[in-house]
Amino acid sequence: MKTSRLLLITACAALFFAAACGTGKEASRTPSSASIVPPADATPAVRFEAMTAAYGMWHDLQVPMRATLRSPMNMSASGRLTMVRDSLVHISMRVLGIEVAVLRVGRDSVHVFDKFHRYYAAESMAALSRRTGLTLADVQCALLGRAFMPGRGVATASMASRLRLGGDESLLTIAPLSAPEGYTWSMDAARLGDGRIALSALSVRPQGAPAATCAYTPAASLTPVGAMASALELNAVVAKKKLSASLSYTLADARWNAGAVPAMPSTRGYTRIDPAAILKAGF
């Protein structure tokens, strides 16, 4: 049965496409509407500032999600995303109510569990950060649909001087002036119907390899802690195979700053395998 392994690949794509940090509990904050809707003729810098003003503070999040794999085969499953700001990403996937896969990313390590076959893989977060320049905060931004600067976490207005901003009235283009060696990054943000500016696309191109891309569907309205995507569509090449997958969130059932954190699955009775083997096994 390949179900759980393919779901693991979907989860891994969310991490490695977008894949240490410090944490402190902060009160949630909903941005004011006046600060996040720029004039129609606003400069790229003003639009960037308005977009980042919609990024409210948060400490933790739990939200139901659905993962759909379209290539190399069709499959979908429900799950739950739990995050603690700058500290944890925990994705649990279920089929027929049974947990079949877990992706857990902490400050120090990344663990992927195939609970059906009782395999697991582990990788150092420091090793991943050295290769990609990404931090856990960057990965969280990519999952939330918030712009970020590689290695520095969520984008803020003060970062504008370190970014190349451009585009026209309908599209804001964002690229870091300096990026991790061997990678080319770019982001696009679009104006929504209510006038807000929201991240719409992210592209990461490793040197000599096809780009991994993510298209975002911004939430129709602000969450209690500001802007967030309601869905994302991933396209990449993994293990020399085309991967197309999507994640969608049920934001109406999201819980912010509730404080509950899922436990780390036990490795007892599991066989450790090389991370690359997980990707190859599902294809």
Side-chain angles (χ1 to χ4, degrees):
M1 179 178 175
K2 294 183 178 180
T3 301
S4 58
R5 291 183 179 179
L6 287 169
L7 291 171
L8 286 173
I9 292 169
T10 303
C12 285
L15 166 66
F16 292 122
F17 145 24
C21 310
T23 181
K25 190 161 186 176
E26 299 180 63
S28 61
R29 173 175 61 82
T30 302
S32 65
S33 59
S35 65
I36 62 176
V37 179
D41 59 351
T43 65
V46 170
R47 282 180 283 152
F48 178 75
E49 181 177 2
M51 178 182 69
T52 60
Y55 298 162
M57 297 296 183
W58 62 282
H59 177 261
D60 56 83
L61 163 67
Q62 299 176 63
V63 62
M65 57 173 279
R66 188 160 193 84
T68 300
L69 185 65
R70 298 187 178 87
S71 177
M73 61 171 48
N74 291 320
M75 187 171 296
S76 64
S78 61
R80 180 173 293 273
L81 168 66
T82 301
M83 296 199 295
V84 178
R85 186 177 179 181
D86 296 347
S87 180
L88 176 70
V89 172
H90 183 104
I91 297 177
S92 170
M93 301 305 303
R94 294 179 177 271
V95 174
L96 301 177
I98 301 172
E99 187 176 59
V100 295
V102 173
L103 169 65
R104 189 177 177 96
V105 188
R107 296 187 214 173
D108 302 322
S109 61
V110 179
H111 285 79
V112 184
F113 292 85
D114 177 342
K115 302 195 78 171
F116 182 81
H117 298 92
R118 300 186 73 79
Y119 294 143
Y120 82 97
E123 176 69 278
S124 162
M125 188 62 190
L128 293 175
S129 294
R130 282 195 300 270
R131 289 199 294 270
T132 64
L134 291 173
T135 66
L136 180 53
D138 299 335
V139 174
Q140 291 181 331
C141 287
L143 290 171
L144 289 172
R146 293 184 172 187
F148 62 94
M149 179 176 286
R152 295 181 178 272
V154 65
T156 63
S158 64
M159 293 180 179
S161 62
R162 296 193 290 272
L163 297 168
R164 184 178 297 107
L165 303 174
D168 54 29
E169 292 183 0
S170 62
L171 186 70
L172 172 65
T173 59
I174 307 162
L177 292 175
S178 62
E181 186 176 356
Y183 290 85
T184 301
W185 293 78
S186 65
M187 286 170 266
D188 294 337
R191 186 180 289 271
L192 306 182
D194 61 4
R196 291 185 291 123
I197 308 297
L199 188 69
S200 58
L202 169 63
S203 175
V204 185
R205 183 184 296 276
Q207 188 173 7
T213 63
C214 185
Y216 291 96
T217 301
S221 58
L222 294 179
T223 73
V225 297
M228 179 177 171
S230 61
L232 49 150
E233 182 80 28
L234 299 158
N235 286 280
V237 176
V238 179
K240 299 182 180 180
K241 298 289 186 178
K242 181 180 178 181
L243 172 68
S244 178
S246 64
L247 301 177
S248 59
Y249 305 127
T250 307
L251 294 180
D253 294 330
R255 298 177 62 198
W256 295 94
N257 305 323
V261 178
M264 171 77 170
S266 172
T267 58
R268 185 176 181 180
Y270 280 69
T271 300
R272 183 170 180 172
I273 61 175
D274 186 89
I278 294 178
L279 296 178
K280 292 177 182 178
F283 293 88

